[in-house]
Amino acid sequence: MAAIFPPWANVAARASLIAGVCALGGLAVGVMAWARTPNATRRYQPVSQPVPFDHRVHVAGEHIDCRYCHFSVERSSTAGIPPSTTCVPCHSTTWLTSATLAPVVKSVETNTPLRWNRVTALPGFVYFNHAVHVNNGVHCETCHGRVDRMAAVYQAEPLTMNWCVSCHRARAPRLTNCSTCHR
Amino acid sequence: MTASRAPLLLTACSLVISCRGSHERERADFERMRLQQRYTLYAASPSFANGQSMQSPPAGTVSREALATVPIVVTPQLLARGKDRFTIYCAVCHGAGGFGGSLVAENMGQPRPPSLRSQALLTRPVEYIFTVATAGKGRMPAYAPQLTASDRWAVASYVHALQSDTTRSTDDVKDSLMAEQIARIDSAAAAAAARRR
């Protein structure tokens, strides 16, 4: 009776087992590596908005401080989206009748908030506090990048846990336990 | 024989480790954390007539903090705070020195923000500046949402101090020069409009 398996089948069996284990491990590593790429963290992807608000014009061009519009940043967990009425005083003579500003006008007239699209999103169990960061020397651009150079705002940093923790370890080593951010 | 068993053993081991117990409880716990039963920021709420989860206090509400800060005592700290807030919320239009020379003032068209260091405003009491900062005036919106009452008193005190200051910093000179330039633009435009008429 002839042998069912030729002699090289032994090598093939071992090789396929090793390859299988490597593939499993590689898949896990691959998924973890992919999760850190800009594609997975939604980094550098400009988000379209109902009104194409250009931070370059207002911040770099007119020297308006971030806190002029995002005024709750120093006393609240959130930086805040300014009420639509914030635009009106200056834009009552400039650009008011343009189609670009039509959603703002409608929002003010009907007293309904504009629905801006979220750029930087964190999971529900991450309790980030803007005030505590801003009041302790972390600048806006540390996490948000140079918004004054963005035509449409995009997420500038990965916002992964490792990214948060790397800064916490270096600058606030007492604030590295889980419940600092997770609840 | 032992050499051929090694990969088999390795595979078996990894399978055993990966199948240890069921993670149902952990998974449920993670899902509970990931999707928490709370309103996220600016989320809509069906529970309120205006559909918002964040509600405003009733009209005419006075914060406890506002009651506690009157009368104010002018200290260097208060003036420093006033300058800090002035730079963020006022200098945008009125200029770093309060002369009305700012990029926004140049771009916004008429009527433009007035100089805070004009003779007409010099005679006004500090309460007047507080009131304008609180309720707005003309084209200027109310800054009560942006500035707490004590911050508005700080700003008013700083503006009052600025008005009595006759020295000129570099910022002041830049600001006043720009204000003069804006005034020249306006008078040229007015003259052109008069010629057309």
Side-chain angles (χ1 to χ4, degrees):
Chain A
M1 188 180 146
I4 299 170
F5 294 108
W8 57 262
N10 282 338
V11 181
R14 275 179 220 138
S16 62
L17 275 170
I18 292 165
V21 171
C22 288
L24 275 174
L27 190 73
V29 171
V31 166
M32 281 153 80
W34 182 80
R36 285 157 174 79
T37 62
N39 260 334
T41 58
R42 293 190 297 176
R43 209 173 162 189
Y44 306 129
Q45 293 167 21
V47 178
S48 73
Q49 301 290 357
V51 181
F53 181 87
D54 196 334
H55 279 84
R56 294 176 304 177
V57 172
H58 295 85
V59 184
E62 294 192 312
H63 298 182
I64 301 177
D65 195 285
C66 307
R67 294 167 288 184
Y68 185 86
C69 293
H70 304 287
F71 55 81
S72 61
V73 74
E74 285 174 301
R75 48 191 152 110
S76 163
S77 65
T78 164
I81 302 292
S84 305
T85 47
T86 310
C87 312
V88 173
C90 290
H91 285 285
S92 59
T93 50
T94 49
W95 289 90
L96 185 74
T97 49
S98 71
T100 322
L101 266 179
V104 177
V105 175
K106 190 165 166 265
S107 162
V108 173
E109 280 173 352
T110 57
N111 196 27
T112 46
L114 272 169
R115 286 180 180 271
W116 299 95
N117 297 317
R118 182 167 276 285
V119 177
T120 42
L122 292 175
F125 53 81
V126 180
Y127 286 74
F128 180 82
N129 189 306
H130 273 88
V132 94
H133 286 86
V134 169
N135 294 333
N136 288 292
V138 182
H139 294 281
C140 308
E141 62 264 33
T142 307
C143 305
H144 293 290
R146 293 300 298 263
V147 177
D148 62 332
R149 293 175 187 168
M150 297 179 192
V153 181
Y154 55 84
Q155 182 188 312
E157 296 293 337
L159 303 184
T160 54
M161 192 173 113
N162 183 46
W163 175 79
C164 293
V165 170
S166 64
C167 193
H168 270 239
R169 281 196 188 118
R171 295 176 65 171
R174 284 187 296 117
L175 299 173
T176 46
N177 61 329
C178 308
S179 59
T180 302
C181 309
H182 297 301
R183 259 155 259 167
Chain B
M1 198 62 175
T2 43
S4 66
R5 264 192 203 148
L8 195 75
L9 210 66
L10 206 69
T11 318
C13 277
S14 64
L15 283 173
V16 164
I17 289 162
S18 69
C19 295
R20 185 187 47 162
S22 110
H23 291 285
E24 274 314 304
R25 214 190 64 180
E26 284 86 343
R27 197 172 294 127
D29 216 32
F30 179 70
E31 283 303 302
R32 176 187 61 76
M33 270 176 67
R34 199 172 67 83
L35 305 165
Q36 298 194 5
Q37 293 290 309
R38 65 175 172 94
Y39 284 120
T40 54
L41 214 58
Y42 299 110
S45 164
S47 309
F48 293 100
N50 62 2
Q52 298 172 4
S53 58
M54 293 201 295
Q55 297 296 306
S56 307
T61 304
V62 178
S63 73
R64 294 163 64 97
E65 178 267 338
L67 294 170
T69 50
V70 181
I72 45 146
V73 182
V74 179
T75 59
Q77 289 81 16
L78 185 88
L79 290 179
R81 176 71 181 169
K83 185 179 185 180
D84 179 61
R85 297 293 103 177
F86 180 88
T87 311
I88 302 167
Y89 298 103
C90 315
V92 164
C93 291
H94 290 291
F99 287 96
S102 69
L103 292 157
V104 172
E106 193 183 346
N107 292 341
M108 77 191 292
Q110 288 175 306
R112 296 187 202 277
S115 167
L116 301 175
R117 299 175 79 154
S118 64
Q119 278 301 317
L121 274 170
L122 266 171
T123 52
R124 298 280 197 174
V126 69
E127 288 83 356
Y128 175 78
I129 305 160
F130 176 84
T131 311
V132 173
T134 308
K137 186 176 189 292
R139 221 177 152 177
M140 176 178 153
Y143 280 87
Q146 287 89 337
L147 296 163
T148 61
S150 57
D151 277 347
R152 272 174 273 139
W153 279 117
V155 165
S157 308
Y158 175 71
V159 171
H160 207 62
L162 203 63
Q163 288 170 336
S164 351
D165 191 2
T166 50
T167 59
R168 292 286 180 267
S169 70
T170 321
D171 270 353
D172 289 344
V173 174
K174 267 195 250 175
D175 183 354
S176 58
L177 283 174
M178 195 163 171
E180 281 166 25
Q181 191 189 321
I182 295 168
R184 274 198 297 276
I185 294 167
D186 280 351
S187 58
R195 272 200 300 279
R196 272 200 300 276
R197 246 185 267 118

